[in-house]
Amino acid sequence: MAATAAAAVSFSLPSAPRGLGPRRRRASSLLRAASTAAPPSPDLSIQLSPRASPPAPANGAATAAGPPVAASFARDRAEDLQAEARAMARAAGATVYSPELLAARYGSRPFKVALRAAEVLSKLGAFGVKLLLDERSGDSSSAKRRARAVELRTILTRLGPTFVKIGQGLSTRPDLCPAEYLEELAELQDSLPTFPDEEAFVCIERELGFPLDSIYSTISPSPIAAASLGQVYKARLKYSGKLVAVKVQRPGIEDAIGLDFYLLRGLGFLINKYVDIVTSDVVALMDEFARRVFQELNYVQEGQNARRFKKLYADKQDVLVPDIFWDYTSAKVLTMEWIEGVKLNQQAAIESQGLKVLDLVNIGIQCSLRQLLEYGYFHADPHPGNILATPEGKLAFLDFGMMSETPEDARVAIIGHVVHLVNRDYEAMARDYYALDFLEPDVDVSPIVPALKNFFDDALNATVSELNFKTIVDGLGAVLYRYPFNVPAYYVLILRSLTVLEGLALYADPDFKVLAASYPYFAKRLLTDPNPYLRDALIELLFKDGRFRWNRLENLLVQGRQDREFAAKDALQPVLKLLLGPDGEELRVLVVKEAVRVTEAITIGTLIDSYNSAPEFLKPLISSGNLAGPFKFSEAEREQMMELRDQVFRVWGLLRSSNNFDPSLLQPIVQVLQEPEARVLGSRVAGGVTQRLAARLLQQLLRTPPAPGSS
């Protein structure tokens, strides 16, 4: 639904063909009258000729003679729920996916099934042969690739919606397809062949139950965009004047998709039975994908998905989700707010508006991470035709037909998995696969650990943030195939969503790394989420061999600050509660040791600074004649203490400079520190500091006096 150039056009409509029903003849005559009686408007709309309409009901309710009227867009929740209930009633007969129903429908029609199978195999097989011949002949010119890309796009288009969706996925993968293929397959996102406008307008009247001219004052004479399942018109609601996008479903699409999934499901059975290298249940994956696609055929369900998505994610000022107009929505017609914007892969058009593609991609990544790992409800089809950059710099999500959910246990397990990856803790990574439902609880993970180590030790020669997401997917894929993994359907959709985002980013920057852009989100979650699993993951990240990694905490705070909503103060109270809780003894031991080290470093460092700043004539008196200084430390030990002190000061500076920092906001933390457990902990720290400093003092007093004349 990208914005189109405004222009005045003229058009003509054919006479209504014989055999059409009264509604179809009325729509045809209506459009013909509009084309002659009213000039086209500048926004490519046709002015619908006025017809008798009933008075607008004050409450916007439906009447027998005309459509519901929206006297105001500020409906209260009750009215909106009533409108949604009416839309659900209109969609009561929507088709749902059922393997049994498909088997009953097509199992008794072997001839039709065989014809479709032959069509698919012949077209794709012939294309594969041509690619093989091109490779053997050495013809790899750009012109030849362009010709083959056009041919593939044509084949997928002719094979129908199921294969169009496959092409849409390929169009976002520059790492898999040459540029010529990407450009051609991108046309599958919203530039597919259209079906007759008259059929679309008749569908609107039939589904909504009202004449076209009583719903809209204007409507575009042809689709603004055409996708795999339907096509979109730009219209203006008659009673409100609101600009809307009207999506109308393709006729006969249920039968076409049903036949394809019947074939693909049969192929899945063959793969499960005869292809040993594939350990996942292909039939289950096919069923999940088919269920999602059939849900897309119910536009009321899509509207509900959009409403839920808006509630969860449009609270961010950079994310935009269109409103749904329930009184003008049914199973096959969806009316939503019109959004002006440019597709995310149109870099030149975006930059001409003063925007940066990578800034928008980063918004998309942060929003997608929230979807996948925070609430678990995510957009499973984020190709460029479904994500627009608005002139205001917002990211608009469209087309909510294909959605999925991540189980709660899997969400935190994924974040923990990233921590274990950073720590190169491959045993913990292998155990994560239980929580992710990749492995049954009785499967021994010990043989998997060496495989993970072999792959990631090579991949992590660079830092984790420099890894390409595809590299990780490919590497893990090689491991998955060798062991008894069963990849859940939700995880497949997650991989698809993230690889699409990475593909979009690679349009603008071939060196873009999704993991690097994801760090701020992971840092924020680890620092502020009170979930016990994530608290444990944070401890694993920050402690090694009983020593605290201040550099990692500093990096987490730096990354977390890139999230505008991050406030470091939010991390302090849950950490303290964990520290003082009944299961925090192991952590308390580590914290006491680290607190003693930090106190010593700050104290000694301050004394060293004071000595260095003292007048030169006083230094021999302070150091008792030792020109090297009053403290008996090796150079390495001195540097370690000074570096530790400086790191602590930098971390404190980051805490103080975080968003909305105010010392008064630390009052709840002070209250936590007043609990008995905290006082005991404080006593242990004070005792440890006293012992450490006393030992240092004794060491200085008992040091060997410098020999006369020595330096």
Side-chain angles (χ1 to χ4, degrees):
M1 291 188 288
T4 57
V9 296
S10 61
F11 59 93
S12 60
L13 292 169
S15 301
R18 294 180 182 272
L20 291 179
R23 285 191 179 276
R24 300 188 64 177
R25 287 195 296 271
R26 182 169 66 249
S28 180
S29 62
L30 171 64
L31 295 176
R32 188 166 56 254
S35 67
T36 57
S41 64
D43 64 352
L44 295 179
S45 299
I46 58 173
Q47 302 288 339
L48 297 180
S49 56
R51 299 176 61 183
S53 298
N59 60 358
T63 67
V69 177
S72 170
F73 291 108
R75 291 186 173 186
D76 60 26
R77 181 62 179 154
E79 290 176 330
D80 196 54
L81 287 174
Q82 291 173 2
E84 184 178 346
R86 291 192 292 270
M88 292 176 64
R90 287 190 289 271
T95 303
V96 295
Y97 175 70
S98 168
E100 294 76 18
L101 290 178
L102 291 186
R105 179 183 299 174
Y106 300 109
S108 59
R109 303 164 71 181
F111 184 69
K112 181 174 183 177
V113 173
L115 282 179
R116 178 58 173 170
E119 178 187 16
V120 173
L121 291 175
S122 62
K123 290 182 177 179
L124 293 180
F127 180 76
V129 170
K130 291 179 181 179
L131 290 181
L132 182 61
L133 293 176
D134 290 344
E135 182 179 353
R136 291 188 174 181
S137 67
D139 188 354
S140 59
S141 65
S142 178
K144 175 61 74 173
R145 288 198 300 270
R146 174 72 64 181
R148 292 293 183 233
V150 171
E151 187 176 351
L152 177 60
R153 174 172 57 81
T154 303
I155 289 172
L156 295 178
T157 300
R158 290 176 178 173
L159 287 177
T162 307
F163 295 90
V164 165
K165 286 193 169 293
I166 295 174
Q168 289 174 347
L170 291 174
S171 72
T172 61
R173 297 311 311 266
D175 50 338
L176 298 180
C177 299
E180 295 84 359
Y181 281 81
L182 296 176
E183 293 171 9
E184 290 298 327
L185 294 179
E187 296 294 317
L188 297 175
Q189 291 159 8
D190 59 4
S191 299
L192 293 169
T194 63
F195 59 90
D197 300 307
E198 186 176 271
E199 293 186 27
F201 295 140
V202 168
C203 178
I204 294 173
E205 290 188 329
R206 182 179 63 248
E207 287 291 309
L208 301 185
F210 305 106
L212 203 68
D213 63 341
S214 63
I215 303 174
Y216 313 112
S217 58
T218 63
I219 189 168
S220 56
S222 57
I224 300 299
S228 54
L229 303 185
Q231 57 195 37
V232 179
Y233 295 84
K234 183 178 182 180
R236 189 178 297 276
L237 292 177
K238 184 170 184 178
Y239 291 101
S240 67
K242 185 74 172 179
L243 274 177
V244 294
V246 184
K247 183 160 71 170
V248 187
Q249 196 171 109
R250 290 181 178 273
I253 195 170
E254 294 175 1
D255 185 59
I257 289 178
L259 177 56
D260 284 340
F261 279 117
Y262 178 75
L263 288 171
L264 291 174
R265 200 167 189 272
L267 178 63
F269 276 114
L270 295 177
I271 293 174
N272 282 349
K273 186 174 182 180
Y274 297 109
V275 183
D276 294 335
I277 194 173
V278 179
T279 58
S280 298
D281 187 344
V282 178
V283 173
L285 294 176
M286 291 290 183
D287 284 342
E288 179 68 16
F289 181 58
R291 191 172 295 109
R292 303 294 177 186
V293 173
F294 269 81
Q295 285 179 358
E296 288 189 73
L297 296 179
N298 183 352
Y299 286 170
V300 171
Q301 178 64 54
E302 180 175 344
Q304 292 172 325
N305 294 343
R307 172 171 50 78
R308 181 180 177 188
F309 191 92
K310 184 182 184 75
K311 180 180 179 181
L312 291 177
Y313 308 115
D315 57 324
K316 306 300 181 187
Q317 63 179 3
D318 295 328
V319 176
L320 180 63
V321 178
D323 289 325
I324 303 299
F325 293 86
W326 293 109
D327 282 327
Y328 309 103
T329 294
S330 72
K332 297 183 178 182
V333 176
L334 176 63
T335 302
M336 64 171 58
E337 178 186 3
W338 178 264
I339 303 294
E340 293 286 350
V342 180
K343 288 191 296 184
L344 210 56
N345 61 349
Q346 295 179 341
Q347 185 173 356
I350 290 175
E351 292 179 350
S352 68
Q353 301 182 47
L355 305 175
K356 295 181 179 179
V357 174
L358 289 183
D359 289 344
L360 293 161
V361 168
N362 273 312
I363 294 172
I365 289 172
Q366 299 305 313
C367 183
S368 293
L369 290 171
R370 290 184 71 208
Q371 294 173 47
L372 299 174
L373 302 177
E374 195 165 334
Y375 294 104
Y377 185 68
F378 66 94
H379 196 301
D381 192 24
H383 64 72
N386 290 341
I387 307 178
L388 299 182
T390 71
E392 300 79 22
K394 294 185 178 183
L395 203 64
F397 285 81
L398 310 174
D399 196 344
F400 300 91
M402 185 174 288
M403 310 295 289
S404 190
E405 296 194 55
T406 312
E408 184 175 1
D409 290 344
R411 292 178 229 160
V412 293
I414 290 172
I415 298 177
H417 202 61
V418 173
V419 172
H420 298 149
L421 173 63
V422 172
N423 286 343
R424 303 194 185 199
D425 188 347
Y426 302 123
E427 292 184 4
M429 285 182 68
R431 291 193 298 271
D432 288 336
Y433 296 128
Y434 294 133
L436 291 169
D437 289 333
F438 279 32
L439 295 172
E440 295 296 327
D442 58 346
V443 174
D444 181 16
V445 298
S446 56
I448 300 172
V449 175
L452 292 172
K453 178 177 174 58
N454 290 338
F455 167 68
F456 282 109
D457 275 351
D458 290 337
L460 292 176
N461 286 333
T463 63
V464 176
S465 62
E466 293 176 345
L467 281 176
N468 187 291
F469 184 73
K470 178 182 179 296
T471 302
I472 294 181
V473 172
D474 291 346
L476 283 178
V479 175
L480 297 181
Y481 286 134
R482 292 165 52 192
Y483 298 96
F485 284 94
N486 183 30
V487 181
Y490 78 84
Y491 191 76
V492 175
L493 292 174
I494 286 177
L495 293 183
R496 182 177 185 275
S497 179
L498 290 178
T499 51
V500 165
L501 282 170
E502 186 171 67
L504 289 171
L506 293 175
Y507 276 113
D509 180 4
D511 296 324
F512 186 87
K513 301 296 185 292
V514 166
L515 285 178
S518 303
Y519 260 29
Y521 175 84
F522 282 104
K524 176 186 174 184
R525 284 294 302 274
L526 284 171
L527 288 168
T528 61
D529 197 312
N531 184 288
Y533 186 91
L534 296 185
R535 294 290 95 202
D536 292 343
L538 178 62
I539 293 170
E540 291 177 32
L541 189 69
L542 296 180
F543 283 92
K544 181 180 181 180
D545 300 329
R547 301 292 291 271
F548 190 81
R549 301 180 180 183
W550 288 93
N551 60 325
R552 283 195 171 178
L553 176 59
E554 183 179 359
N555 185 50
L556 283 174
L557 291 172
V558 169
Q559 295 293 334
R561 282 161 59 92
Q562 297 182 33
D563 189 311
R564 285 176 297 188
E565 295 189 346
F566 172 72
K569 64 179 178 60
D570 296 334
L572 298 178
Q573 191 168 8
V575 170
L576 285 174
K577 286 185 176 180
L578 174 68
L579 176 64
L580 302 176
D583 300 324
E585 178 57 29
E586 183 178 355
L587 178 60
R588 287 193 286 272
V589 171
L590 295 174
V591 168
V592 168
K593 290 181 179 179
E594 192 61 30
V596 171
R597 287 182 62 240
V598 169
T599 304
E600 178 192 39
I602 293 175
T603 303
I604 302 276
T606 302
L607 292 175
I608 291 174
D609 286 344
S610 299
Y611 174 79
N612 291 335
S613 62
E616 291 297 325
F617 71 90
L618 288 179
K619 288 183 178 180
L621 298 176
I622 298 174
S623 60
S624 301
N626 183 6
L627 299 180
F631 307 105
K632 186 179 180 180
F633 301 127
S634 67
E635 188 65 26
E637 189 177 14
R638 184 193 303 264
E639 289 180 357
Q640 289 176 357
M641 281 196 293
M642 298 301 285
E643 174 59 24
L644 175 58
R645 185 195 67 162
D646 292 344
Q647 284 181 331
V648 172
F649 286 166
R650 287 197 299 270
V651 166
W652 174 241
L654 289 169
L655 290 171
R656 292 188 61 189
S657 61
S658 67
N659 290 344
N660 302 319
F661 181 85
D662 184 335
S664 65
L665 297 174
L666 301 180
Q667 184 62 34
I669 298 173
V670 174
Q671 294 174 357
V672 172
L673 292 175
Q674 291 175 347
E675 296 177 4
E677 296 86 350
R679 290 197 292 270
V680 172
L681 182 64
S683 300
R684 291 167 63 180
V685 172
V689 169
T690 302
Q691 294 176 17
R692 187 70 170 260
L693 292 178
R696 286 290 189 189
L697 178 61
L698 187 62
Q699 181 186 52
Q700 300 301 315
L701 293 174
L702 298 179
R703 68 182 181 179
T704 303
S710 64
S711 56

